[in-house]
C-alpha cells in the first residue's frame, strides 16, 4: 500500500540527471556524493546551502566510496580509480573485465572493515556479470558470478548478513557474512518481485535492520523488514527511482537519486522531475557510510 507523505518528501536539487545513482553521505563534511553515470559526473551536494558541484571523470562512473580526506574510490566502466576532490584528478588503480565489452561496473559499497565491494552489469542481458571485493592491500577477489546486473548491496547492522540485488531477476538475495574474512555464504532469496512491473535497484539499510530499496520503473522506494516483508512504499513523482542512502545531521534524511534516461517526451511531461535528487524526512535513523579504509575497527 502506498503512503503519500508529500509534506516530508522534498525535491532538493533540480539535477535532471540522465542516470543519477550511488549516493553516499559524508558525515564529516555533512555533504552528499552521488553520480550521474552516463554524464561521467561525480556530484557533491551541500544540503545546508543547496550548492551542487561536480567532477567530470572522463568515462562512465557507476559508484563511489570515501577513501580518506578529499579522496574517493570510483568504479568506472572497466576500472577502479581514485578521484581527488580538490583537484579533480583521476588516478587509475586496476582494470577488470576488459575482455567483456558489453559489461560495465555498477553499484558498490564498502563493508564494515573498509573493503570495497562492486559489481558489474551486462548490456547484453546475459548472466555474465560478477561481484568483486577490492581490499586495501590491493588484492582483488571474485565473490559472486552468474549475475545479470549486480546492484543494490549492503550489510545488516550486526554485520552478520550481506544483501545483493540482481535487478533483471527482480530479486534481492541475502548471504551470511563473515566480517573477519569478508567471505559470503548460504545465498537465499530475501525478496522476490517476480511478476511485478518494476525492478529493485540500489538500497540502503537503517539502524533497525530494515532495507529501503529503490524501484526502477516503480515510482517508489519500498521498505522491507529484516524478514523480507514489505512495510510500506514511499511514492515519488518519477518512475525511474535508482538508489537511496541516509544522511543529514541525525541520519534521518533519506536521499533518493532518480533517472531520466530512455524516457519519451510524453513520459517526461508526466514526470518532469525525473533525474532530480529527493530527500525524505524519516522517523528512523540510518547507518553511517563505511569508507575504503581497513584501519576501521568493527
Amino acid at each position: 500500500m502506498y503512503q503519500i507523505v508529500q509534506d516530508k518528501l522534498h525535491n532538493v536539487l533540480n539535477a535532471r540527471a540522465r542516470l543519477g545513482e550511488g549516493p553516499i553521505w559524508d558525515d564529516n563534511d555533512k555533504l552528499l556524493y552521488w553520480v550521474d553515470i552516463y554524464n561521467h559526473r561525480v556530484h557533491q551536494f551541500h544540503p545546508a546551502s543547496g550548492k551542487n558541484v561536480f567532477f567530470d571523470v572522463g568515462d562512465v562512473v557507476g559508484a563511489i566510496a570515501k577513501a580518506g580526506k578529499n579522496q574517493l574510490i570510483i568504479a568506472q566502466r572497466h576500472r577502479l580509480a581514485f578521484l581527488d576532490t580538490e583537484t579533480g584528478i583521476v588516478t587509475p588503480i586496476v582494470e577488470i573485465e576488459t575482455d567483456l565489452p558489453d559489461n560495465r561496473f555498477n553499484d558498490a559499497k564498502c563493508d564494515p572493515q573498509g573493503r570495497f565491494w562492486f559489481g558489474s552489469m551486462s548490456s547484453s542481458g546475459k548472466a555474465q556479470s560478477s561481484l568483486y571485493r577490492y581490499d586495501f592491500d590491493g588484492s582483488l577477489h571474485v565473490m559472486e558470478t552468474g549475475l545479470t546486473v549486480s546492484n543494490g548491496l549492503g550489510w545488516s547492522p550486526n554485520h552478520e548478513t550481506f544483501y545483493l540485488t540482481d535487478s533483471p531477476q527482480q530479486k534481492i538475495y541475502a548471504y551470511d557474512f563473515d566480517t573477519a574474512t569478508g567471505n559470503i555464504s548460504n545465498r537465499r532469496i530475501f525478496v522476490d518481485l517476480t511478476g511485478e512491473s518494476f525492478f529493485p535497484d540500489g538500497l540502503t539499510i537503517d539502524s533497525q535492520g530494515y532495507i529501503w530499496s529503490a524501484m526502477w520503473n516503480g515510482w517508489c522506494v519500498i521498505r522491507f523488514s529484516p524478514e523480507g516483508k514489505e512495510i510500506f512504499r514511499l511514492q515519488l513523482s518519477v518512475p525511474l527511482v535508482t538508489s537511496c542512502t541516509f544522511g543529514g545531521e541525525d541520519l534521518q534524511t533519506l536521499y533518493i537519486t532518480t533517472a531520466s534516461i530512455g524516457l519519451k517526451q510524453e513520459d517526461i511531461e508526466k514526470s518532469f522531475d525525473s533525474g532530480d535528487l529527493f530527500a525524505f524526512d524519516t522517523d528512523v535513523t540510518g547507518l553511517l557510510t563505511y569508507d575504503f579504509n581497513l584501519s576501521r575497527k568493527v
Side-chain angles (χ1 to χ4, degrees):
M1 180 177 180
Y2 283 103
Q3 293 196 5
I4 303 173
V5 282
Q6 297 302 331
D7 59 326
K8 295 184 177 182
L9 181 65
H10 315 281
N11 184 329
V12 294
L13 183 65
N14 299 124
R16 300 298 190 268
R18 290 182 66 198
L19 186 50
E21 260 285 7
I24 60 168
W25 178 252
D26 183 336
D27 200 52
N28 292 323
D29 294 330
K30 306 301 180 185
L31 58 84
L32 184 82
Y33 286 101
W34 61 283
V35 302
D36 188 350
I37 294 177
Y38 289 121
N39 278 331
H40 309 167
R41 294 173 177 174
V42 174
H43 289 260
Q44 191 183 66
F45 174 66
H46 300 258
S49 65
K51 179 182 178 181
N52 185 79
V53 298
F54 65 83
F55 307 91
D56 188 329
V57 296
D59 199 357
V60 298
V61 51
I64 52 180
K66 284 293 299 296
K69 185 174 176 58
N70 301 320
Q71 184 165 256
L72 301 175
I73 184 170
I74 64 177
Q76 294 196 272
R77 188 184 305 272
H78 289 134
R79 74 176 185 183
L80 301 184
F82 287 122
L83 168 64
D84 187 310
T85 57
E86 284 194 320
T87 65
I89 293 174
V90 177
T91 304
I93 302 172
V94 61
E95 291 193 348
I96 311 157
E97 291 195 356
T98 54
D99 58 327
L100 297 172
D102 292 331
N103 281 23
R104 70 160 175 85
F105 290 126
N106 197 41
D107 209 357
K109 276 191 178 76
C110 287
D111 70 19
Q113 285 196 332
R115 297 166 288 218
F116 188 60
W117 295 64
F118 61 102
S120 57
M121 61 172 286
S122 174
S123 60
S124 70
K126 298 177 181 177
Q128 62 182 27
S129 302
S130 300
L131 175 71
Y132 299 90
R133 194 190 79 216
Y134 182 72
D135 293 359
F136 199 68
D137 62 4
S139 58
L140 182 69
H141 309 267
V142 180
M143 306 307 296
E144 186 64 284
T145 58
L147 302 170
T148 311
V149 174
S150 177
N151 219 328
L153 64 163
W155 288 263
S156 61
N158 63 8
H159 307 160
E160 293 179 357
T161 304
F162 169 70
Y163 299 96
L164 174 67
T165 303
D166 192 330
S167 296
Q169 300 302 315
Q170 296 179 290
K171 293 179 176 65
I172 302 174
Y173 297 105
Y175 298 76
D176 294 339
F177 179 67
D178 187 317
T179 304
T181 65
N183 290 331
I184 54 176
S185 60
N186 186 29
R187 187 173 94 167
R188 62 269 187 195
I189 296 174
F190 172 68
V191 169
D192 189 347
L193 297 171
T194 301
E196 296 285 359
S197 60
F198 50 81
F199 304 86
D201 204 319
L203 63 78
T204 193
I205 300 170
D206 64 35
S207 59
Q208 299 175 9
Y210 286 68
I211 288 79
W212 300 67
S213 177
M215 296 295 158
W216 180 270
N217 204 40
W219 303 78
C220 67
V221 175
I222 299 181
R223 187 185 189 220
F224 296 99
S225 73
E227 294 73 41
K229 179 182 178 182
E230 179 178 330
I231 302 303
F232 77 91
R233 301 187 187 190
L234 169 64
Q235 185 175 21
L236 277 77
S237 59
V238 299
L240 307 181
V241 187
T242 57
S243 193
C244 52
T245 195
F246 283 94
E249 291 289 339
D250 52 8
L251 291 180
Q252 290 189 339
T253 301
L254 186 74
Y255 287 100
I256 305 166
T257 53
T258 67
S260 61
I261 191 169
L263 293 178
K264 299 177 181 179
Q265 185 59 41
E266 55 265 33
D267 298 326
I268 294 175
E269 290 174 359
K270 295 176 184 176
S271 53
F272 186 73
D273 294 336
S274 291
D276 288 356
L277 179 67
F278 295 83
F280 173 56
D281 302 324
T282 75
D283 57 1
V284 298
T285 303
L287 300 172
L288 285 172
T289 301
Y290 300 118
D291 300 346
F292 179 59
N293 186 350
L294 275 180
S295 66
R296 180 187 293 275
K297 301 300 181 181
V298 178

Short mmCIF file of all heavy atoms in Angstrom, two decimals, residues 120-158:
data_model
loop_
_atom_site.label_atom_id
_atom_site.label_comp_id
_atom_site.label_asym_id
_atom_site.label_seq_id
_atom_site.Cartn_x
_atom_site.Cartn_y
_atom_site.Cartn_z
N SER A 120 29.41 -5.80 -11.58
CA SER A 120 29.29 -5.41 -12.98
C SER A 120 27.88 -5.70 -13.49
O SER A 120 27.08 -6.37 -12.83
CB SER A 120 30.33 -6.13 -13.85
OG SER A 120 30.21 -7.54 -13.73
N MET A 121 27.58 -5.17 -14.66
CA MET A 121 26.32 -5.45 -15.33
C MET A 121 26.58 -5.61 -16.81
O MET A 121 27.55 -5.06 -17.35
CB MET A 121 25.32 -4.32 -15.09
CG MET A 121 25.75 -2.96 -15.60
SD MET A 121 24.43 -1.73 -15.49
CE MET A 121 23.36 -2.25 -16.84
N SER A 122 25.72 -6.36 -17.47
CA SER A 122 25.88 -6.63 -18.90
C SER A 122 24.74 -6.02 -19.69
O SER A 122 23.57 -6.23 -19.37
CB SER A 122 25.94 -8.14 -19.15
OG SER A 122 25.96 -8.42 -20.54
N SER A 123 25.08 -5.26 -20.72
CA SER A 123 24.05 -4.69 -21.59
C SER A 123 23.48 -5.74 -22.54
O SER A 123 22.46 -5.50 -23.19
CB SER A 123 24.64 -3.53 -22.40
OG SER A 123 25.73 -3.97 -23.21
N SER A 124 24.11 -6.90 -22.60
CA SER A 124 23.66 -7.96 -23.49
C SER A 124 22.49 -8.76 -22.92
O SER A 124 21.84 -9.52 -23.63
CB SER A 124 24.81 -8.93 -23.78
OG SER A 124 25.14 -9.68 -22.62
N GLY A 125 22.25 -8.59 -21.62
CA GLY A 125 21.21 -9.38 -20.97
C GLY A 125 21.67 -10.75 -20.54
O GLY A 125 20.90 -11.51 -19.94
N LYS A 126 22.92 -11.09 -20.82
CA LYS A 126 23.46 -12.39 -20.43
C LYS A 126 23.90 -12.37 -18.97
O LYS A 126 24.26 -11.33 -18.42
CB LYS A 126 24.65 -12.75 -21.32
CG LYS A 126 24.32 -12.88 -22.79
CD LYS A 126 25.57 -13.17 -23.61
CE LYS A 126 25.25 -13.27 -25.10
NZ LYS A 126 26.49 -13.49 -25.92
N ALA A 127 23.87 -13.54 -18.36
CA ALA A 127 24.29 -13.67 -16.97
C ALA A 127 25.81 -13.83 -16.93
O ALA A 127 26.35 -14.88 -16.57
CB ALA A 127 23.61 -14.86 -16.32
N GLN A 128 26.51 -12.74 -17.29
CA GLN A 128 27.98 -12.77 -17.35
C GLN A 128 28.60 -11.70 -16.46
O GLN A 128 29.73 -11.29 -16.67
CB GLN A 128 28.44 -12.58 -18.79
CG GLN A 128 28.05 -11.25 -19.42
CD GLN A 128 28.51 -11.13 -20.87
OE1 GLN A 128 28.67 -12.14 -21.58
NE2 GLN A 128 28.74 -9.90 -21.32
N SER A 129 27.86 -11.29 -15.45
CA SER A 129 28.35 -10.26 -14.54
C SER A 129 28.77 -10.87 -13.22
O SER A 129 28.33 -11.97 -12.86
CB SER A 129 27.28 -9.19 -14.32
OG SER A 129 26.90 -8.61 -15.56
N SER A 130 29.59 -10.13 -12.47
CA SER A 130 30.16 -10.66 -11.24
C SER A 130 30.16 -9.60 -10.15
O SER A 130 29.99 -8.41 -10.41
CB SER A 130 31.60 -11.15 -11.48
OG SER A 130 31.65 -12.16 -12.46
N LEU A 131 30.38 -10.06 -8.94
CA LEU A 131 30.57 -9.19 -7.78
C LEU A 131 32.00 -9.38 -7.30
O LEU A 131 32.48 -10.51 -7.17
CB LEU A 131 29.59 -9.57 -6.66
CG LEU A 131 29.76 -8.82 -5.34
CD1 LEU A 131 29.33 -7.37 -5.48
CD2 LEU A 131 28.97 -9.52 -4.22
N TYR A 132 32.69 -8.26 -7.04
CA TYR A 132 34.09 -8.29 -6.64
C TYR A 132 34.27 -7.61 -5.28
O TYR A 132 33.46 -6.78 -4.87
CB TYR A 132 34.96 -7.54 -7.65
CG TYR A 132 34.94 -8.12 -9.05
CD1 TYR A 132 33.99 -7.69 -9.98
CD2 TYR A 132 35.85 -9.09 -9.44
CE1 TYR A 132 33.96 -8.21 -11.26
CE2 TYR A 132 35.83 -9.61 -10.72
CZ TYR A 132 34.89 -9.17 -11.64
OH TYR A 132 34.87 -9.69 -12.90
N ARG A 133 35.38 -7.94 -4.64
CA ARG A 133 35.81 -7.27 -3.41
C ARG A 133 37.27 -6.84 -3.59
O ARG A 133 38.13 -7.67 -3.89
CB ARG A 133 35.70 -8.20 -2.21
CG ARG A 133 35.80 -7.49 -0.86
CD ARG A 133 35.93 -8.50 0.27
NE ARG A 133 37.28 -9.02 0.40
CZ ARG A 133 37.59 -10.27 0.73
NH1 ARG A 133 36.64 -11.17 0.92
NH2 ARG A 133 38.85 -10.64 0.83
N TYR A 134 37.49 -5.53 -3.44
CA TYR A 134 38.84 -4.99 -3.55
C TYR A 134 39.31 -4.57 -2.16
O TYR A 134 38.69 -3.73 -1.52
CB TYR A 134 38.86 -3.79 -4.50
CG TYR A 134 40.23 -3.19 -4.72
CD1 TYR A 134 41.20 -3.87 -5.47
CD2 TYR A 134 40.56 -1.96 -4.16
CE1 TYR A 134 42.46 -3.32 -5.67
CE2 TYR A 134 41.82 -1.41 -4.36
CZ TYR A 134 42.76 -2.09 -5.11
OH TYR A 134 44.01 -1.54 -5.30
N ASP A 135 40.39 -5.20 -1.69
CA ASP A 135 40.88 -4.95 -0.35
C ASP A 135 41.92 -3.83 -0.33
O ASP A 135 42.53 -3.51 -1.36
CB ASP A 135 41.49 -6.23 0.24
CG ASP A 135 40.43 -7.30 0.50
OD1 ASP A 135 39.23 -7.03 0.23
OD2 ASP A 135 40.79 -8.39 0.96
N PHE A 136 42.14 -3.30 0.85
CA PHE A 136 43.05 -2.16 0.99
C PHE A 136 44.49 -2.52 0.62
O PHE A 136 45.29 -1.65 0.28
CB PHE A 136 42.98 -1.63 2.43
CG PHE A 136 43.50 -0.24 2.59
CD1 PHE A 136 42.80 0.84 2.04
CD2 PHE A 136 44.66 0.02 3.29
CE1 PHE A 136 43.25 2.14 2.18
CE2 PHE A 136 45.13 1.31 3.44
CZ PHE A 136 44.43 2.37 2.89
N ASP A 137 44.83 -3.81 0.68
CA ASP A 137 46.19 -4.23 0.32
C ASP A 137 46.36 -4.41 -1.19
O ASP A 137 47.43 -4.82 -1.66
CB ASP A 137 46.58 -5.53 1.04
CG ASP A 137 45.66 -6.71 0.67
OD1 ASP A 137 44.78 -6.54 -0.20
OD2 ASP A 137 45.83 -7.79 1.26
N GLY A 138 45.31 -4.10 -1.95
CA GLY A 138 45.39 -4.19 -3.40
C GLY A 138 44.95 -5.52 -3.98
O GLY A 138 44.99 -5.70 -5.20
N SER A 139 44.53 -6.45 -3.15
CA SER A 139 44.09 -7.75 -3.65
C SER A 139 42.64 -7.67 -4.11
O SER A 139 41.81 -6.95 -3.55
CB SER A 139 44.24 -8.82 -2.56
OG SER A 139 43.50 -8.48 -1.40
N LEU A 140 42.34 -8.44 -5.16
CA LEU A 140 41.02 -8.45 -5.78
C LEU A 140 40.43 -9.85 -5.66
O LEU A 140 41.10 -10.84 -5.94
CB LEU A 140 41.12 -8.05 -7.25
CG LEU A 140 39.82 -7.97 -8.04
CD1 LEU A 140 38.97 -6.80 -7.55
CD2 LEU A 140 40.10 -7.83 -9.54
N HIS A 141 39.16 -9.94 -5.26
CA HIS A 141 38.51 -11.22 -5.01
C HIS A 141 37.17 -11.28 -5.74
O HIS A 141 36.39 -10.33 -5.66
CB HIS A 141 38.28 -11.42 -3.52
CG HIS A 141 39.51 -11.20 -2.69
ND1 HIS A 141 40.37 -12.22 -2.34
CD2 HIS A 141 40.03 -10.05 -2.16
CE1 HIS A 141 41.37 -11.71 -1.62
NE2 HIS A 141 41.19 -10.40 -1.50
N VAL A 142 36.91 -12.38 -6.44
CA VAL A 142 35.62 -12.61 -7.07
C VAL A 142 34.70 -13.24 -6.03
O VAL A 142 34.97 -14.32 -5.52
CB VAL A 142 35.74 -13.53 -8.30
CG1 VAL A 142 34.37 -13.76 -8.93
CG2 VAL A 142 36.70 -12.95 -9.32
N MET A 143 33.59 -12.55 -5.72
CA MET A 143 32.72 -13.00 -4.64
C MET A 143 31.46 -13.71 -5.13
O MET A 143 30.87 -14.52 -4.42
CB MET A 143 32.32 -11.80 -3.77
CG MET A 143 33.50 -11.00 -3.23
SD MET A 143 34.72 -12.02 -2.36
CE MET A 143 33.75 -12.61 -0.97
N GLU A 144 31.00 -13.37 -6.34
CA GLU A 144 29.82 -14.00 -6.91
C GLU A 144 29.89 -13.89 -8.43
O GLU A 144 30.44 -12.92 -8.96
CB GLU A 144 28.55 -13.32 -6.38
CG GLU A 144 27.24 -13.96 -6.80
CD GLU A 144 27.06 -15.38 -6.26
OE1 GLU A 144 27.71 -16.29 -6.83
OE2 GLU A 144 26.30 -15.57 -5.30
N THR A 145 29.35 -14.89 -9.12
CA THR A 145 29.34 -14.89 -10.59
C THR A 145 27.93 -15.23 -11.07
O THR A 145 27.04 -15.55 -10.29
CB THR A 145 30.35 -15.92 -11.15
OG1 THR A 145 30.01 -17.22 -10.64
CG2 THR A 145 31.77 -15.56 -10.74
N GLY A 146 27.73 -15.17 -12.41
CA GLY A 146 26.46 -15.55 -12.98
C GLY A 146 25.34 -14.56 -12.76
O GLY A 146 24.16 -14.89 -12.88
N LEU A 147 25.70 -13.30 -12.48
CA LEU A 147 24.71 -12.25 -12.27
C LEU A 147 24.39 -11.57 -13.60
O LEU A 147 25.20 -11.58 -14.53
CB LEU A 147 25.23 -11.22 -11.27
CG LEU A 147 25.60 -11.76 -9.88
CD1 LEU A 147 26.32 -10.68 -9.07
CD2 LEU A 147 24.36 -12.25 -9.14
N THR A 148 23.22 -10.96 -13.69
CA THR A 148 22.86 -10.17 -14.87
C THR A 148 23.21 -8.71 -14.64
O THR A 148 23.96 -8.11 -15.41
CB THR A 148 21.37 -10.32 -15.20
OG1 THR A 148 21.02 -11.70 -15.20
CG2 THR A 148 21.06 -9.72 -16.56
N VAL A 149 22.66 -8.14 -13.58
CA VAL A 149 23.01 -6.78 -13.16
C VAL A 149 23.26 -6.82 -11.66
O VAL A 149 22.31 -6.92 -10.86
CB VAL A 149 21.89 -5.77 -13.48
CG1 VAL A 149 22.22 -4.41 -12.88
CG2 VAL A 149 21.70 -5.64 -14.99
N SER A 150 24.51 -6.76 -11.26
CA SER A 150 24.85 -6.69 -9.84
C SER A 150 24.47 -5.30 -9.35
O SER A 150 24.95 -4.30 -9.87
CB SER A 150 26.34 -6.95 -9.63
OG SER A 150 26.68 -6.82 -8.27
N ASN A 151 23.60 -5.24 -8.35
CA ASN A 151 23.06 -3.95 -7.94
C ASN A 151 22.94 -3.89 -6.43
O ASN A 151 23.61 -4.64 -5.72
CB ASN A 151 21.70 -3.71 -8.63
CG ASN A 151 21.52 -2.28 -9.07
OD1 ASN A 151 22.01 -1.35 -8.45
ND2 ASN A 151 20.79 -2.10 -10.17
N GLY A 152 22.06 -2.99 -5.91
CA GLY A 152 21.92 -2.68 -4.50
C GLY A 152 22.50 -3.68 -3.53
O GLY A 152 22.08 -4.83 -3.47
N LEU A 153 23.46 -3.23 -2.73
CA LEU A 153 24.10 -4.10 -1.76
C LEU A 153 24.26 -3.38 -0.43
O LEU A 153 24.24 -2.16 -0.35
CB LEU A 153 25.45 -4.61 -2.26
CG LEU A 153 26.58 -3.62 -2.52
CD1 LEU A 153 27.91 -4.36 -2.59
CD2 LEU A 153 26.38 -2.85 -3.82
N GLY A 154 24.41 -4.17 0.63
CA GLY A 154 24.57 -3.57 1.95
C GLY A 154 24.67 -4.64 3.02
O GLY A 154 24.55 -5.84 2.74
N TRP A 155 24.89 -4.19 4.26
CA TRP A 155 25.10 -5.09 5.40
C TRP A 155 24.13 -4.77 6.51
O TRP A 155 23.80 -3.60 6.76
CB TRP A 155 26.54 -4.95 5.92
CG TRP A 155 27.54 -5.54 5.00
CD1 TRP A 155 28.10 -6.79 5.07
CD2 TRP A 155 28.10 -4.94 3.82
NE1 TRP A 155 28.96 -6.99 4.02
CE2 TRP A 155 28.98 -5.86 3.23
CE3 TRP A 155 27.94 -3.68 3.20
CZ2 TRP A 155 29.70 -5.60 2.08
CZ3 TRP A 155 28.65 -3.41 2.05
CH2 TRP A 155 29.52 -4.36 1.48
N SER A 156 23.69 -5.79 7.22
CA SER A 156 22.81 -5.60 8.36
C SER A 156 23.56 -4.88 9.47
O SER A 156 24.79 -4.87 9.51
CB SER A 156 22.31 -6.96 8.86
OG SER A 156 23.41 -7.77 9.28
N PRO A 157 22.84 -4.26 10.41
CA PRO A 157 23.51 -3.52 11.48
C PRO A 157 24.47 -4.36 12.32
O PRO A 157 25.48 -3.84 12.81
CB PRO A 157 22.34 -3.01 12.33
CG PRO A 157 21.19 -2.92 11.39
CD PRO A 157 21.38 -4.07 10.44
N ASN A 158 24.17 -5.66 12.48
CA ASN A 158 25.09 -6.52 13.26
C ASN A 158 26.18 -7.14 12.39
O ASN A 158 26.98 -7.94 12.89
CB ASN A 158 24.31 -7.61 13.99
CG ASN A 158 23.59 -8.58 13.04
OD1 ASN A 158 23.79 -8.53 11.82
ND2 ASN A 158 22.75 -9.44 13.59
#
